[in-house]
Amino acid sequence: MKTMPIDIQVRVPFKVLRGRSKKPEKIQVRVPLAGEIKLIESLDQAPIALRARTVEGPRSDEYERRVIEVDGKEVLVRPIMRSSWEKIRARIADARAMLADGFHHSLKVQTPLHIGWGNDVFDVLPLDTRAVIEDHTDSAMKLARDTLDRVFAIEDTLFLRSAPPAFDLYPPTKTGGDRGRFNVSDQVDLAPGYQSNGFAFMLDRVDDAVAFAKRHGLNDIPPEFSSFRIDRPDLLTSGETLANAYMGVRTIEFELQEALADLSAAGLEQLGRLLTQRERMVEEHGGDAVWAIIDELDDAVANRFYTPALPPRIFDRIAKVTDMTKDALTMSRDLPPRPVIEFGDDPELANLGM
């Protein structure tokens, strides 16, 4: 496949000590990267797989997927859009503006690394920097390269490799003041670094999404569409499991933040295992780690995160989120089968001669 060069700048997070200050400061520094993106000459080589538009109005959105062939395999791509540009398609002439100065703004991907890192952006480390405590150049540049690897220029439009769009069901807030949200999300695939914000169901599964929402007391009114077209339903098969497992673990991690100081050593270890399995799941794009997460969640609820003093309101929300996560995963179309454990794989059983 042909490629085109593109020089961009990447925002790299640093934690530094500046001047006489004793308090570390989080900043970002622009670092140049000479990259390239893949080039496809004609939209004829990227036929439409799905196109849908929500009802006309100020919140009207269009969702589009096209199919291209990469290394002999069909993959979906979506136009790169930017909300501040009224969601117009990005043209090649705007590529540097779209890709430069922070991927989380232009390509809609963000890593936990960048969240809350501050708004101060420099071209070089400030002259008054006397110590660098954290330097995330390697991880930021890897994210940039991984993102560029998903970008395609088709005719004069930029596209991004992506999972299908999906219904995104948000749980209520901690205060319980609403029933959550029932949205359409254009990004549920977590690659690279995307954080799912809701439980996901592909757009051809509105009845399943509504049933899930009703069971768990969520907003069960789906968005209305003014147009809806699916040409390749066989490609609407991926993304649900990753998004739903990630959503569950992320929400439980958030719920436990205010109780971290109260967690027992065993509870902290359990939370650590959940986070480790989540990262393994993302790296392996599913796999056995999904079932390890389900089993760990069951154990966490059964044993109250091994912390009898865990506040009831926090535990009740964790139990509810766990129930929702398991239900969403059970309904996920791409949930892998539970792995079968052979006796030889378990050293304790093997030692018993079984």
Side-chain angles (χ1 to χ4, degrees):
M1 185 175 291
K2 295 181 179 179
T3 61
M4 63 174 285
I6 184 167
D7 296 327
I8 62 174
Q9 290 183 322
V10 181
R11 289 186 181 185
V12 175
F14 284 83
K15 184 182 286 186
V16 298
L17 286 173
R18 298 180 60 188
R20 297 181 179 180
S21 176
K22 295 181 180 180
K23 184 179 180 180
E25 181 178 344
K26 292 179 178 180
I27 64 171
Q28 298 180 55
V29 178
R30 297 184 183 94
V31 177
L33 172 65
E36 62 181 23
I37 58 178
K38 300 175 184 68
L39 193 60
I40 296 176
E41 295 180 352
S42 170
L43 284 172
D44 293 338
Q45 298 172 262
I48 292 175
L50 175 148
R51 181 177 283 168
R53 180 181 287 276
T54 54
V55 293
E56 296 297 332
R59 295 181 61 85
S60 175
D61 288 308
E62 183 177 59
Y63 303 90
E64 177 183 300
R65 293 294 183 276
R66 289 178 177 267
V67 189
I68 62 173
E69 187 172 306
V70 180
D71 298 327
K73 183 179 179 181
E74 288 185 318
V75 300
L76 294 174
V77 294
R78 64 173 171 86
I80 294 175
M81 300 178 182
R82 192 173 189 175
S83 58
S84 59
W85 290 356
E86 299 179 339
K87 300 201 172 182
I88 61 174
R89 292 181 180 177
R91 301 292 171 181
I92 295 301
D94 302 316
R96 285 166 179 78
M98 288 293 295
L99 297 175
D101 213 17
F103 289 93
H104 54 300
H105 291 306
S106 56
L107 297 185
K108 296 184 181 296
V109 294
Q110 186 177 46
T111 63
L113 184 66
H114 291 80
I115 295 178
W117 205 268
N119 296 320
D120 292 333
V121 184
F122 300 87
D123 291 324
V124 295
L125 279 174
L127 294 177
D128 60 351
T129 300
R130 72 173 194 273
V132 175
I133 300 172
E134 295 181 22
D135 176 353
H136 296 284
T137 300
D138 290 345
S139 56
M141 300 305 273
K142 182 180 184 302
L143 173 63
R145 285 188 288 268
D146 288 347
T147 303
L148 283 180
D149 192 51
R150 299 171 62 217
V151 177
F152 298 82
I154 306 177
E155 286 191 4
D156 63 345
T157 303
L158 289 178
F159 287 79
L160 182 70
R161 183 169 177 169
S162 178
F167 294 116
D168 219 2
L169 280 68
Y170 292 66
T173 62
K174 279 189 176 184
T175 59
D178 58 42
R179 298 175 61 202
R181 287 180 286 168
F182 200 137
N183 291 343
V184 178
S185 172
D186 213 21
Q187 39 186 334
V188 296
D189 58 351
L190 301 175
Y194 169 70
Q195 297 185 75
S196 175
N197 290 315
F199 294 103
F201 294 84
M202 295 294 111
L203 289 190
D204 60 339
R205 301 187 63 194
V206 62
D207 291 341
D208 290 334
V210 169
F212 175 86
K214 288 182 175 179
R215 272 199 303 275
H216 298 285
L218 306 181
N219 176 9
D220 55 15
I221 303 174
E224 295 182 56
F225 292 92
S226 59
S227 62
F228 194 89
R229 164 187 172 184
I230 297 178
D231 292 359
R232 293 292 304 273
D234 57 306
L235 296 179
L236 302 184
T237 57
S238 64
E240 292 178 345
T241 296
L242 279 176
N244 292 332
Y246 200 99
M247 174 63 188
V249 176
R250 179 180 179 228
T251 304
I252 288 172
E253 179 188 12
F254 176 75
E255 295 293 339
L256 284 172
Q257 288 302 308
E258 62 182 282
L260 282 180
D262 300 322
L263 282 183
S264 66
L268 287 170
E269 289 177 2
Q270 185 156 61
L271 177 60
R273 288 195 298 273
L274 272 172
L275 300 181
T276 298
Q277 293 294 351
R278 180 184 68 183
E279 299 312 311
R280 180 184 153 213
M281 175 192 71
V282 174
E283 291 175 3
E284 298 176 358
H285 208 74
D288 296 352
V290 175
W291 288 101
I293 287 173
I294 293 173
D295 293 340
E296 200 70 62
L297 289 175
D298 279 340
D299 185 72
V301 171
N303 294 287
R304 207 181 181 90
F305 266 95
Y306 297 93
T307 306
L310 191 65
R313 62 182 178 81
I314 294 178
F315 176 75
D316 289 346
R317 280 188 60 85
I318 287 173
K320 180 176 178 59
V321 171
T322 295
D323 184 48
M324 294 171 66
T325 303
K326 291 169 58 181
D327 191 16
L329 285 171
T330 300
M331 298 176 70
S332 296
R333 191 152 47 190
D334 56 345
L335 178 68
R338 179 182 278 275
V340 177
I341 300 177
E342 303 289 344
F343 289 146
D345 296 334
D346 190 318
E348 293 185 5
L349 293 178
N351 289 335
L352 293 174
M354 299 180 70

